[in-house]
Amino acid sequence: MTASSSERPIGPPVDSRPVPRPERVTMEGRFVRLEPLDAAKHAPALWSAVKGADDVWDYLFDAPYADEAAFAANLAQKAASTDPLFFAIVDEASGAAVGYATFLRIEPAHRVIEVGNILFTPALQRTPGATEAMYLMAKRAFDLGYRRYEWKCNALNAPSRRAAERLGYTFEGVFRQHMIVKGRNRDTAWFAMLDTEWPAIRAGFEAWLAPENFGADGRQKRPLAELRRAASARPD
């Protein structure tokens, strides 16, 4: 006997109106700002920051570049793209570009968006600005009305997996033999955060980034995960 449609679980109704696509806008923070990638403006500083640091390309689709001209030409192609949509990460203190990141796989109808193609140069790695850059992008995505914000990485990329979990993403599994990258197999680890989870994640970010969370030596007083747990435990 076939069950009627009213007896089958089909998921709760949701607001199905499409949301806006992210635009080329500047996202201001205390440590960094994200601004639309511009090869002429950002290539010299980025090249200076990555030159000789070939390991930053290990898990990206790019290979190390032979010279600044080749790097700048590729950066110009990236800057023209709309999906992925590239943003330079600019250090507020020095005014120099120290990385880039993108919104990609942008699906306004389903209200799903991904962050990826993340280049953190050695000058940005393990700094408050790196965390703030990821906060600013997540905030922008949820402010636009996206329901799901994704992070994917090579399953062998242990630092990226740790970063995703530290930032508040939930691990959802591994897609085996998902891609061939630079002639090698890539299994892809999937992570995501949802709009219903964002308020506590956002509160954790903002408490961590607050000036009072850093000592005179610039070190954090309380870790991000602890502050997120504290935010989650607070009653609405």
Side-chain angles (χ1 to χ4, degrees):
M1 180 175 180
T2 303
S4 69
S5 60
S6 62
E7 296 172 331
R8 293 175 178 170
I10 56 174
V14 298
D15 182 352
S16 59
R17 292 173 295 180
V19 294
R21 299 182 67 86
E23 297 179 345
R24 288 186 167 90
V25 297
T26 297
M27 294 169 265
E28 292 281 356
R30 185 162 70 94
F31 299 101
V32 298
R33 67 179 180 272
L34 284 86
E35 57 188 39
L37 184 66
D38 181 309
K41 181 178 180 180
H42 300 124
L46 283 171
W47 174 251
S48 178
V50 300
K51 185 171 58 175
D54 288 355
D55 59 342
V56 301
W57 306 107
D58 284 350
Y59 294 109
L60 293 175
F61 293 97
D62 304 42
Y65 292 89
D67 52 42
E68 184 174 355
F71 177 73
N74 181 267
L75 214 65
Q77 294 177 356
K78 288 180 166 71
S81 171
T82 58
D83 188 350
L85 181 62
F86 279 81
F87 292 87
I89 303 170
V90 178
D91 179 69
E92 286 285 12
S94 67
V98 289
Y100 59 65
T102 74
F103 290 126
L104 72 156
R105 300 185 184 277
I106 304 164
E107 297 188 31
H110 298 291
R111 295 163 63 187
V112 176
I113 194 168
E114 181 180 341
V115 60
N117 299 298
I118 300 169
L119 173 68
F120 283 179
T121 69
L124 181 60
Q125 293 170 11
R126 302 182 67 84
T127 67
T131 297
E132 186 176 54
M134 295 297 95
Y135 159 72
L136 290 170
M137 292 191 73
K139 181 178 183 300
R140 180 64 179 159
F142 288 115
D143 284 352
L144 287 171
Y146 286 85
R147 304 172 64 228
R148 176 179 168 86
Y149 188 53
E150 298 179 335
W151 174 296
K152 302 186 184 81
C153 63
N154 189 312
L156 298 175
N157 188 347
S160 184
R161 295 180 68 155
R162 288 195 299 269
E165 292 177 345
R166 173 180 174 269
L167 295 170
Y169 293 85
T170 296
F171 175 61
E172 296 182 333
V174 172
F175 277 34
R176 299 174 298 163
Q177 296 188 185
H178 182 219
M179 296 180 181
I180 299 172
V181 180
K182 300 174 185 173
R184 295 180 181 271
N185 176 69
R186 171 173 146 163
D187 297 343
T188 298
W190 288 53
F191 299 81
M193 63 175 70
L194 306 182
D195 55 352
T196 53
E197 301 162 343
W198 173 239
I201 294 172
R202 175 178 177 170
F205 270 126
E206 292 175 353
W208 189 85
L209 290 164
E212 56 268 25
N213 190 47
F214 293 89
D217 60 359
R219 293 180 178 274
Q220 67 175 10
K221 295 180 181 178
R222 299 177 67 187
L224 180 57
E226 177 186 319
L227 292 166
R228 187 170 58 250
R229 286 194 298 269
S232 298
R234 287 198 296 267
D236 292 337

